[in-house]
Amino acid sequence: MLKRIAYVVSILALLAGAWGLYDRLVNGHQNAAYGSYVVWGLWVAMYLFFAGIAAGAFMIATLDLLFGIRVMRGIGRLALWVALVSLAAALLSIWLDLGHMMRIWKVYLQGSIGSVMAQMVWGYTAFGLLTLVCLILAIARPAARLLRVLMIIGLPLSLFISGAVGALLGVEASRMFWHIGLLPVQFPVFSLASGTAAMLVAVGLFGSRQDPLRSEQLRLLSLATVVLTIVKLYFLWADFSQSMYGNVPQNVKAVEAVMYGQYWWAFWILQLLLGSFVPAVVLALPGPGRNGHWAGWMGVLVLVGFAAARANIVFPALTVPELEALTTAFTGPHLTFEYFPSLMEWAVTAGITGMAILAFLIGSDLLPLRAKMEVA
Amino acid sequence: MPDPLQTKDILLRMQDDLRRALEKPPQQRRWVMVIDLRRCIGCHACTVACVAENKLPPGVVYRPVLEEEFGSYPKVTRRFLPRPCLQCDNPPCTPVCPVHATYRDENGVVIVDYEQCIGCRYCITACPYAARTFDFGRTYTDGTAEAEGLILGRSRADDYERAANFEYGVPHARIGSEESPIGNVRKCHFCLHRLAAGILPACTTTCIGRATLFGDANDPDSLVTEMIARPNVIRLKEELGTQPRVYYLV
């Protein structure tokens, strides 16, 4: 029943996305709410979100396909599929954000080796290809030595690409809110946490109830989510408290924008209450932590919290003017320091999310993602 | 020592300075802009001249004038700060570009290659002065009514803004909805196309207070060389190490 609802919802989301895509392709960026001051909006935040899930899901896959942890047996293919689908959603989201989408080839053939963005594009491309080959091998030749070799390469690569997203923002000395050494360290942890949450959803809500390891896998993923939530909250505390103590105006304003600005509800309600505290408490309990529905829905909440968290990293730093009087210096469309995604942006994001969910469902129905395993 | 700002019309002097500079190889020039904030009256003529010169669409601005108000009535004063691209010698916006689309040219001016730029806008986030804007493809005649036989409308009204500008010496007409510079990051380039023709930047010639000075700082006889040696010179956010080529006299 839940799967049918998911199919319907994802198809409806795709329809909304089709309208958004039409608007995007016909009118370019004109109907987007981001501008020349808040230059990156919802699509960049969703790119960070989906890319994080992809890297995290790959890390989870290594527990089965590389390290051979008994309780995680059979989860590797599913995790690789989640990684692949998420990565496609991430790359689609960021591709649509480009001013000249058809020039993306230039990053490959004429890229700047010193640009973190170029490094990231190359890294994600390599990661995507590697994940695809790993999935094919895991399905067709699970005992192949090449699979283990690729998983060995993929593990540090997943760390690199998720850290690179943090570095992409962290290298910008002009944005105090981003320019902290902690950012590239935080992002792989965020990725692992969001990948773990995605696997809670995949196994908990859509996994086979006949799977004898399911309950134990859910318990492990639940506990991992609890621990990663605590680490995540510690990072948040370290980040914000240092910013406030440091008292650099541009930084303090960005932190205040997160906590008390127009996105206060996204921070306090989505990111902290629903995305962190509620799932951490529920998943720490032995019963719900093993229960497919409880664990799965808590995974959904964690993911919603992560989407809000990614947005809270991207937008607020850009809403603080580089020069105070810029806000009134010159007026015109797309020259504002306030941002709330436009209908077209939401529609495109809904479509991309719908596409990812639909691809996941079709893959889980048609591909042999869960191996028939023997339980020791 | 006589005040150079009083001895000769400074536009004529800067024109002479420019002529001398253009006789040198580009690598030996150091284009510099000096903005005398005591002379700026906040008329925004430079902003408008820049918009007209480069045919900037809505939402794209190269040289806004920032205004700040101090005090309360009747003791009120206002301060104006024109902000072109600061053409940093150590620009944070160029190394982040994933495709080498923005770089310092042989004159040391930070430029954007419109045919190379993919529109990722990473450089905008890297600039500490917000000197870059994105061309969203808008026109001033967006939404203009049109009715055959009754109202001439947009197709006739937008001829001017669809006509080519000549930034970087290349004609860029706004014909379609996706051709560059639409979808590109855009910025002040010290009117390189005018300099190549021996003409000062539009903002400089338009400034009614003679507050904007331009020239070659490698020429010891140029006006800007004299000005940047003064003790009352500042540069914006110098602590970031960007080494801007725009100086402010305060």
Side-chain angles (χ1 to χ4, degrees), chain A residues 29-30 34-36 39-40 97 99-100 103 106 110-112 115 117 168 171-172 174-175 322 325-326 330 333-334, chain B residues 59 96-98 100 114 116-122 124-126 128 130 133-134 136-138 178 180 182-183 237:
Chain A
H29 293 259
Q30 287 191 24
Y34 47 78
S36 286
V39 285
W40 287 340
D97 191 69
H100 286 281
R103 295 182 187 171
K106 289 176 183 281
Q110 299 170 1
S112 166
S115 165
M117 184 176 280
L168 178 90
V171 295
E172 299 210 6
S174 59
R175 309 278 171 182
E322 294 89 334
L326 261 179
F330 193 86
H334 306 286
Chain B
V96 299
C97 177
H100 300 290
Y114 286 156
Q116 184 71 7
C117 173
I118 62 171
C120 69
R121 312 189 292 287
Y122 196 15
I124 299 183
T125 66
T133 45
F134 185 69
F136 282 82
R138 290 185 177 273
E178 286 188 4
S180 291
I182 294 170
K237 297 189 180 182

Side-chain angles (χ1 to χ4, degrees), chain B residues 150-167:
Chain B
L150 294 172
I151 308 170
L152 287 178
R154 181 177 180 175
S155 60
R156 298 291 291 275
D158 68 356
D159 285 356
Y160 172 75
E161 57 182 338
R162 293 281 182 196
N165 66 16
F166 287 90
E167 289 180 284

